[in-house]
Amino acid sequence: MPKKNTPHSSLLTPHSLLITGGAGFIGANFVHYWIKNYPDVQVTVLDALTYAGNKANLAPVENHPKFRFVHGDIRHYALVLNLLLDQEIDTIVHFAAESHVDRSIHGPDAFVETNIVGTHTLLKAAKAAWLDTPSAAMNTQTSALGPQPSPYRFHHISTDEVYGSLSPEDPGFCETTAYAPNSPYAASKAASDFLVRAYYKTYGMPMTISNCSNNYGPYQHPEKLIPLLTLNCLEHKPLPIYGDGLNIRDWLYVEDHCRGIDLILKKGRIGETYNIGGNCEKTNLEVVHTVCAILDELKPLSSSTALFTSYSSLLTHVKDRAGHDRRYAIDASKISKELAYMPIETFESGMQKTVQWYLEHPEWCKNVMGENYKKWLAQNYS
Ligand code: NAD
Ligand code: TYD
């Protein structure tokens, strides 16, 4: 019989976290954020180390006594179930995904596999570990005081791209905006969101979802716009801007995103979705000019080695992305009213930190820009 699932505040206190995709961009930033703020909580990262996963992203925490890395795939049911039971996981923060729109255009299968099948495998394992055992039945009992807060949480990281594309005059996406995904990536994330919701409605899975806007910050793979522009500038390579460059994204500094997830985990209502945005809409042209202006300051071009005086001379309009969404914007009033969430970083301060980080980590950059990356550039930009 379906479990009773009236939304209620969970006031969760995680004791043992499973962070999927923790060797990727946002996952690694979240691991750093979490260990810095809650050093006594056990953290297990499960990551398949695809082209986007990088153990070097976790180097600063690898010797922390509460940190454990498991190399494995979220589609491996037995592995996930054993981890949940052995590590007594009470909180899953699910980042693992294929995350790049352009790659989903060239090869959608991996997106269906990881984002849909992988999320479903995690849900099945969490149900078996948390809901299908006799002790779990005790935990979800309703008492004379009403529904008891669950000691467990499945938090699913999703994207604003599930809502489709906005016109210039449209209000930002809110949690009740109808889903209208346009890329195979967005469609696979939408499907995973629906599975998480269905496990809540049908089986009482204690879940929350966050749909965030475009993140930027340290450790982002250079296939994505901001690191791509930064690293191309440093190599004096063209800065490829799709179409007219007037597509708009709402940029969110990754640490602000991590704070939002933390608030949802601890105070969010089970069964609810929260949108997280940066309140920072920029056209791609504004983004490229910001990167160039920062580098013009931090790493001025020398007249003896460069044929131009500003990095912005490298800007090149290239063929548009198929099905390119015109505008994303988040209405974050729900998380702001319910959980007192506000992004701290401005675009100027966040971009300064980000570009500086890439300048200070040449080895990291060199390692992620190997043969595989070169193949990708040839495939996507030829
Ligand atoms: P990323 O591509 O940098 O990292 C993904 C990580 O998942 C990698 O470490 C990879 O090895 C791992 N992974 C992939 N397939 C796996 C599998 N089958 N099993 C285990 N691990 C696997 O992604 P990101 O940018 O950090 O995004 C994290 C999450 O946030 C994703 O769910 C993405 O959809 C969502 N999101 C990202 C953004 C953004 O701007 N980057 C915006 C909105 C939502
Ligand atoms: P991206 O970082 O791929 O994120 P998303 O597609 O998830 O929004 O791209 C951000 C914006 O930058 C998007 O409008 C596509 C555009 N873009 C370019 O113009 N050139 C590029 O080489 C890339 C990778 C993206």
Side-chain angles (χ1 to χ4, degrees):
M1 209 175 110
K3 301 258 165 33
K4 196 176 169 120
N5 54 17
T6 321
H8 56 276
S9 182
S10 70
L11 295 179
L12 180 78
T13 309
H15 294 105
S16 182
L17 252 69
L18 177 65
I19 301 180
T20 71
F25 161 49
I26 309 177
N29 277 283
F30 185 76
V31 171
H32 297 161
Y33 168 93
W34 191 269
I35 289 183
K36 185 169 147 212
N37 288 286
Y38 310 104
D40 297 330
V41 176
Q42 188 69 42
V43 169
T44 305
V45 165
L46 173 63
D47 198 297
L49 296 179
T50 66
Y51 80 92
N54 184 353
K55 270 198 92 176
N57 296 355
L58 296 167
V61 295
E62 68 188 356
N63 294 322
H64 191 279
K66 295 286 183 179
F67 174 76
R68 181 174 176 215
F69 180 81
V70 177
H71 183 192
D73 196 306
I74 56 166
R75 290 170 302 167
H76 191 162
Y77 176 80
L79 168 73
V80 176
L81 182 58
N82 281 339
L83 269 182
L84 294 180
L85 298 174
D86 287 354
Q87 300 296 309
E88 298 182 13
I89 303 288
D90 55 21
T91 306
I92 298 174
V93 189
H94 175 34
F95 294 96
E98 288 292 335
S99 69
H100 192 32
V101 173
D102 292 322
R103 287 190 195 251
S104 82
I105 296 169
H106 289 280
D109 298 62
F111 289 72
V112 171
E113 277 299 319
T114 285
N115 301 359
I116 306 178
V117 178
T119 301
H120 186 238
T121 307
L122 277 181
L123 284 164
K124 273 196 301 185
K127 175 174 174 288
W130 296 346
L131 307 180
D132 294 347
T133 61
S135 64
M138 298 280 292
N139 283 324
T140 50
Q141 257 176 10
T142 45
S143 74
L145 298 170
Q148 295 304 291
S150 169
Y152 302 116
R153 180 69 68 83
F154 188 110
H155 182 71
H156 177 58
I157 308 294
S158 191
T159 168
D160 58 1
E161 305 198 19
V162 297
Y163 299 119
S165 184
L166 294 168
S167 303
E169 65 283 357
D170 286 335
F173 303 124
C174 62
E175 291 77 1
T176 52
T177 302
Y179 275 29
N182 292 321
S183 67
Y185 163 66
S188 67
K189 292 297 289 186
S192 66
D193 295 4
F194 288 152
L195 283 167
V196 176
R197 175 191 154 91
Y199 266 65
Y200 164 63
K201 290 282 179 184
T202 305
Y203 306 115
M205 175 64 67
M207 67 74 168
T208 40
I209 300 179
S210 49
N211 294 75
C212 67
S213 56
N214 284 62
N215 283 222
Y216 68 104
Y219 301 105
Q220 187 166 31
H221 191 280
E223 67 188 359
K224 303 281 169 53
L225 182 67
I226 289 173
L228 176 95
L229 297 175
T230 307
L231 298 179
N232 278 16
C233 280
L234 296 179
E235 293 192 335
H236 297 191
K237 284 188 177 160
L239 308 177
I241 294 296
Y242 297 153
D244 62 8
L246 295 177
N247 304 69
I248 292 175
R249 298 293 182 262
D250 175 354
W251 292 97
L252 171 65
Y253 190 67
V254 65
E255 200 174 335
D256 278 332
H257 182 196
C258 295
R259 285 192 308 105
I261 298 167
D262 182 7
L263 283 171
I264 297 169
L265 284 179
K266 290 203 307 244
K267 298 191 198 151
R269 286 180 295 140
I270 286 176
E272 292 288 309
T273 289
Y274 295 89
N275 284 356
I276 311 179
N279 203 12
C280 177
E281 287 185 55
K282 301 284 172 200
T283 64
N284 293 337
L285 287 179
E286 287 173 302
V287 172
V288 67
H289 286 303
T290 303
V291 171
C292 292
I294 295 172
L295 281 171
D296 285 340
E297 283 284 317
L298 295 181
K299 204 164 171 48
L301 289 156
S302 123
S303 53
S304 57
T305 54
L307 300 169
F308 40 88
T309 53
S310 167
Y311 291 99
S312 56
S313 308
L314 295 167
L315 196 161
T316 310
H317 288 271
V318 297
K319 186 167 169 267
D320 208 352
R321 170 188 280 174
H324 195 177
D325 285 337
R326 194 65 174 165
R327 174 177 166 239
Y328 303 143
I330 289 263
D331 171 353
S333 46
K334 178 173 172 181
I335 188 167
S336 137
K337 278 192 203 123
E338 277 189 26
L339 308 180
Y341 171 78
M342 281 290 285
I344 291 173
E345 220 64 64
T346 63
F347 190 60
E348 290 67 32
S349 63
M351 285 296 288
Q352 191 78 28
K353 284 186 183 176
T354 304
V355 173
Q356 182 89 44
W357 187 89
Y358 284 94
L359 283 177
E360 286 168 359
H361 293 81
E363 272 304 302
W364 184 94
C365 298
K366 192 171 150 236
N367 290 337
V368 293
M369 290 161 77
E371 281 314 305
N372 272 346
Y373 180 62
K374 288 190 186 117
K375 268 192 209 147
W376 164 249
L377 294 181
Q379 184 183 9
N380 195 49
Y381 297 96
S382 60

